[in-house]
Amino acid sequence: MSNPNPLGTTTATFVGMPKFPTMAKDALANTRQRRNLLHATHTIRAKRAAVVDEVPEWQDLRRNGADTKDEVLANLEQYLVQLEQKLTEQGATVHWARDAEEANRIVLDLVKAQGVDEVVKVKSMATQEIELNEALEAAGIHAWETDLAELIVQLGDDRSSHILVPAIHRGRAEIREIFRTRMGQVGRPAPDNMTDEPRELAEAARLHLREKFLRAKVAISGANFAVADTGTLVVLESEGNGRMCLTLPETLISVVGIEKVLPKWEDLGTFMQLLPRSSTGERMNPYTTMWTGPAADDGPQNVHVVLVDNGRTHVLADPVGRQALRCIRCSACLNVCPVYERAGGHAYGSVYPGPIGAVLTPQLRGTSSAIDQSLPYASSLCGACYEVCPVRIDIPTLLVKLRTQVVDEHRDGRPSVEARAMKAAAWMFSDSSHLTKAQKAATLGSKLLGKRTALGAIPGPAAAWSGARDVPVPPKETFRQWWDRTNGGNE
Amino acid sequence: MSTAREEILDRIRRAQTDSAATVSVHEAPAPETLDTQPMLELFVENLVDYRAVVHQVGAGEVAGKVDEILRNHDCRSVVISPDLPDDVRPGELDPTVDDGLSAYDLDKLDAVVTTSAVGIARTGTIVLDHTDGQARRALSLVPDVHVCVIRADQVVTSVPQATAVLRPSVEQGRPLTWISGPSATSDIELNRVEGVHGPRNLEVILVR
Ligand code: SF4
């Protein structure tokens, strides 16, 4: 992980973006956004906790999920080759893409071959990551997002701020305004008398999108899972827009990250429990579509799968960092993160916001830009993300490791004192009991220090580092103690 | 110049030189199996919780219930697959039998009646594998009322048992549709609204 990643593509949108602290400051000033975010994250958090409690074997499911993904990553070549073979046997066409540009070119060629100038899209992180919509638009092809939240974001010329609920930062009045002013420009206008009732807004989206679904010849999706031993692709959704895209058009193109593969069909028994409960806090999402190549007389007969690397093999090469590839994009870590809750998703300058974004993005793109260097610091390291993660990704440890890397890069590769301190911190954050103990010790120390606000130079190995700056006095209570006392800073 | 495929596989090989390729996988927990009665109760409870309407009938009463549901929704048209069993077939409305109807044709129809493949009690889910009376995927998607018939002996307790039952369908290349309640969104201030693009009404007839 010491080399900046040469493989992933930092595409135009995020280049030159101000770093996290700058973006977060702007976001904090936006009180409406903060209110919306707070409401949304707390609602999903409570729902998730309730449905996870219904499953007594939850911890065993998490372990099985984490191990299954690790096993895939350890034998990725074998599983991808098997997946390709099965997909091909079932009548699908498989393509491989080294990076975003190559993936976009493949999709564009496939779309052009159908002679159409528009496509319908199922919400997909992979296509956002490679900025497919922009690439299609540049070639004169309109890509219509059909997920309600994605539609709100697209019509609002906005960027998404949450993996699962991209328009989480928007309130109903804003959504009404976006629909009223923009729908008519790209298709069926919003009804004249539409209020800001969620039911009426959803109805407007239904009517607006229906004409696009019915006439669409080509659809583009991602996939939540790709099963190697059967060649089955899986998409989970709620609204039915996914089913519309996955079944009505003649051609279906699915853009799939190479880490999405699962070894065998039965593994879905675990993941179809882990994902919905972690994600929307539901026992099961309303709709899931699973397809194994083109089905006789049912759905698209022209089925393509684009397997995308775009930096994933770079992440794989890091024995510690590779666990980030287990991520099933449930977004549970966003909803519990005290930093995300206040800063919002835009501040992360990446399609993957929140704790997972803070570790995955700099690994995929390298830590060469200001935004990517700042991301590993966009966390309080409280450990809540690790506790909710359905595949047990140790995000706090990965963040600390990335900080070390950023620090090292600023020292021309020589390990610095700060870097060594971060290594010690990695141990501390590897287990929440270590953290709790260390924090208790630190706050106890600070009580003895009275009113002093800085410690001055520390003797010993840290002297070179602390000599040039004041070491702040450790806080009087731990972050978690503060969090509990103030109800998350809301009192 | 190597192809993208070769290069990606090569990158994977190089990325893994340091890893001992064996990972011991913590077994998936054995799925819980409830007795029939509590299992069916849980199934119904979870279906209702996700806003499906559930009717429980005896074997001879299905067609009558189908008619009643269609009447309640003021349906004037209904579509079915050619192989929908007779004892499930609506009688009062003359059903349109699917012969490859276009999406536009389906959009003009009010309701659809299908059978199903598996029910999952713990999640309130019904899975269609689109064989026999379950019709093509588009039929259970486009009309606004979906009347779905499931037999009590098709219900299992949890997700892993369902995937086990469904393996043969998948091996035959059948697509699957998992349905848990009607179409819904929570995208506007996290308010749940039933019905966006899929059917806004899911009526389940459980045959016991
Ligand atoms: S890191 Fe874990 S909790 Fe966060 S989105 Fe990925 S799977 Fe979910």
Side-chain angles (χ1 to χ4, degrees):
Chain A
M1 202 143 77
S2 55
N3 302 321
N5 169 29
L7 308 171
T9 310
T10 308
T11 41
T13 313
F14 300 117
V15 166
M17 212 164 215
K19 56 191 178 179
F20 182 84
T22 319
M23 307 264 289
K25 217 171 250 170
D26 289 350
L28 284 172
N30 185 341
T31 46
R32 179 168 52 191
Q33 170 175 311
R34 277 190 66 184
R35 211 174 40 235
N36 291 347
L37 268 173
L38 208 69
H39 168 64
T41 52
H42 282 250
T43 307
I44 311 182
R45 209 190 283 186
K47 281 175 69 187
R48 177 204 159 273
V51 296
V52 163
D53 282 349
E54 289 178 5
V55 184
E57 70 273 30
W58 186 255
Q59 295 307 332
D60 284 336
L61 286 172
R62 278 178 88 210
R63 279 185 192 280
N64 176 250
D67 289 354
T68 302
K69 280 280 187 174
D70 275 352
E71 209 267 324
V72 165
L73 294 173
N75 299 287
L76 191 56
E77 182 188 8
Q78 170 208 325
Y79 287 124
L80 285 172
V81 169
Q82 189 186 12
L83 176 68
E84 176 187 48
Q85 187 200 336
K86 276 287 163 189
L87 282 167
T88 311
E89 275 173 28
Q90 296 290 347
T93 311
V94 177
H95 311 258
W96 300 72
R98 279 166 278 218
D99 55 22
E101 199 194 319
E102 189 166 27
N104 286 335
R105 198 170 54 239
I106 292 167
V107 175
L108 189 59
D109 286 346
L110 290 170
V111 174
K112 278 189 184 152
Q114 299 305 314
V116 296
D117 62 2
E118 65 170 7
V119 299
V120 285
K121 279 195 67 215
V122 193
K123 177 174 164 1
S124 138
M125 300 304 295
T127 62
Q128 277 187 46
E129 176 191 320
I130 63 173
E131 298 188 359
L132 177 63
N133 290 6
E134 290 79 355
L136 290 171
E137 208 65 48
I141 291 160
H142 302 298
W144 308 119
E145 290 291 348
T146 63
D147 171 77
L148 178 51
E150 289 289 358
L151 177 73
I152 296 165
V153 167
Q154 187 176 44
L155 289 177
D157 287 324
D158 198 355
R159 282 176 297 113
S160 61
S161 63
H162 190 281
I163 294 179
L164 177 77
V165 207
I168 200 170
H169 57 294
R170 294 288 200 182
R172 60 178 76 186
E174 290 176 285
I175 296 169
R176 171 171 181 260
E177 211 35 50
I178 292 168
F179 280 9
R180 265 168 31 101
T181 51
R182 293 284 285 133
M183 271 184 173
Q185 295 165 12
V186 291
R188 179 172 176 152
D192 281 340
N193 49 1
M194 178 183 70
T195 71
D196 64 2
E197 265 304 300
R199 183 167 302 279
E200 289 187 33
L201 296 171
E203 176 66 14
R206 178 183 176 100
L207 296 171
H208 177 80
L209 285 173
R210 187 146 286 224
E211 58 173 26
K212 294 195 163 93
F213 288 133
L214 295 181
R215 70 172 184 237
K217 297 265 182 289
V218 178
I220 297 174
S221 80
N224 293 95
F225 306 105
V227 182
D229 79 339
T230 57
T232 305
L233 297 191
V234 180
V235 166
L236 286 75
E237 48 122 6
S238 294
E239 297 167 9
N241 66 307
R243 294 180 62 193
M244 290 276 176
C245 295
L246 299 168
T247 58
L248 297 185
E250 293 156 12
T251 299
L252 171 60
I253 305 163
S254 305
V255 178
V256 182
I258 54 173
E259 83 287 12
K260 293 281 175 187
V261 60
L262 293 180
K264 53 185 196 305
W265 168 254
E266 285 71 22
D267 293 321
L268 287 174
T270 291
F271 286 95
M272 287 299 292
Q273 295 184 78
L274 287 175
L275 182 50
R277 287 184 202 257
S278 301
S279 181
T280 49
E282 294 171 297
R283 295 182 194 101
M284 188 63 80
N285 50 295
Y287 295 130
T288 298
T289 300
M290 302 184 180
W291 71 102
T292 306
D297 301 324
D298 187 349
Q301 296 299 298
N302 201 357
V303 173
H304 294 269
V305 180
V306 185
L307 298 173
V308 181
D309 179 352
N310 201 37
R312 285 161 177 72
T313 47
H314 177 75
V315 184
L316 187 68
D318 184 279
V320 180
R322 77 169 56 128
Q323 62 177 298
L325 294 177
R326 289 187 210 143
C327 177
I328 54 174
R329 315 274 189 263
C330 73
S331 73
C333 57
L334 277 61
N335 300 327
V336 296
C337 176
V339 176
Y340 174 83
E341 176 182 301
R342 280 166 175 68
H346 290 161
Y348 294 79
S350 130
V351 296
Y352 304 109
I356 185 60
V359 297
L360 191 58
T361 306
Q363 290 198 84
L364 284 170
R365 303 199 295 216
T367 43
S368 49
S369 70
I371 178 92
D372 289 323
Q373 285 172 10
S374 69
L375 279 175
Y377 293 89
S379 166
S380 66
L381 299 177
C382 72
C385 48
Y386 172 59
E387 281 168 27
V388 296
C389 179
V391 284
R392 298 169 53 93
I393 299 174
D394 188 353
I395 297 174
T397 297
L398 292 185
L399 285 168
V400 171
K401 186 168 189 298
L402 281 164
R403 290 182 189 186
T404 313
Q405 179 188 331
V406 170
V407 171
D408 281 351
E409 280 167 10
H410 283 271
R411 304 256 172 167
D412 303 317
R414 274 180 293 120
S416 64
V417 175
E418 197 175 347
R420 268 186 270 136
M422 286 299 173
K423 272 191 190 133
W427 167 83
M428 192 161 76
F429 294 119
S430 66
D431 176 334
S432 67
S433 70
H434 294 167
L435 176 62
T436 310
K437 273 185 220 134
Q439 285 186 326
K440 287 228 176 81
T443 53
L444 192 68
S446 83
K447 281 188 186 130
L448 302 173
L449 291 164
K451 284 196 164 38
R452 291 180 66 178
T453 57
L455 286 175
I458 301 173
W465 182 67
S466 62
R469 62 199 86 188
D470 283 340
V471 176
V473 170
K476 290 193 174 22
E477 58 186 342
T478 68
F479 181 79
R480 283 202 166 171
Q481 287 164 345
W482 172 83
W483 191 253
D484 290 342
R485 178 173 62 79
T486 61
N487 183 23
N490 292 317
E491 280 166 16
Chain B
M1 205 193 81
S2 68
T3 64
R5 179 183 189 275
E6 284 160 27
E7 190 170 331
I8 292 169
L9 293 178
D10 186 52
R11 286 176 187 173
I12 291 170
R13 274 191 294 275
R14 276 186 285 133
Q16 288 172 330
T17 44
D18 64 319
S19 80
T22 47
V23 172
S24 67
V25 178
H26 188 96
E27 289 272 309
E32 172 196 31
T33 307
L34 295 171
D35 290 338
T36 306
Q37 194 53 31
M39 178 180 73
L40 292 178
E41 272 167 29
L42 183 65
F43 181 55
V44 172
E45 188 188 314
N46 283 335
L47 279 168
V48 170
D49 195 31
Y50 281 118
R51 309 301 201 300
V53 179
V54 184
H55 312 264
Q56 303 191 49
V57 301
E61 304 158 3
V62 182
K65 189 51 92 177
V66 169
D67 285 334
E68 184 190 316
I69 293 167
L70 295 176
R71 231 181 293 131
N72 287 344
H73 284 283
D74 291 326
C75 295
R76 277 160 302 156
S77 53
V78 57
V79 61
I80 58 170
S81 132
D83 42 17
L84 187 75
D86 280 344
D87 59 344
V88 172
R89 220 178 144 102
E92 290 175 10
L93 286 172
D94 187 23
T96 304
V97 179
D98 175 46
D99 58 356
L101 295 166
S102 74
Y104 287 103
D105 294 332
L106 288 173
D107 196 34
K108 294 190 198 98
L109 298 167
D110 295 331
V112 59
V113 181
T114 73
T115 55
S116 45
V118 181
I120 307 170
R122 250 200 188 181
T123 57
T125 303
I126 293 175
V127 186
L128 309 187
D129 69 1
H130 304 284
T131 50
D132 305 331
Q134 297 164 55
R136 288 184 296 138
R137 285 179 281 177
L139 264 68
S140 58
L141 171 63
V142 183
D144 204 22
V145 177
H146 179 193
V147 183
C148 184
V149 181
I150 185 161
R151 294 191 321 267
D153 64 8
Q154 292 177 304
V155 180
V156 298
T157 304
S158 68
V159 176
Q161 289 144 341
T163 49
V165 174
L166 291 163
R167 183 180 254 280
S169 305
V170 172
E171 282 177 346
Q172 288 158 29
R174 306 294 324 165
L176 302 181
T177 305
W178 297 42
I179 298 172
S180 309
S183 158
T185 185
S186 299
D187 281 345
I188 302 164
E189 296 182 5
L190 271 289
N191 288 287
R192 189 175 164 100
V193 176
E194 269 81 41
V196 194
H197 309 296
R200 283 177 284 199
N201 304 282
L202 176 65
E203 301 259 358
V204 177
I205 302 179
L206 175 61
V207 189
R208 333 185 40 160

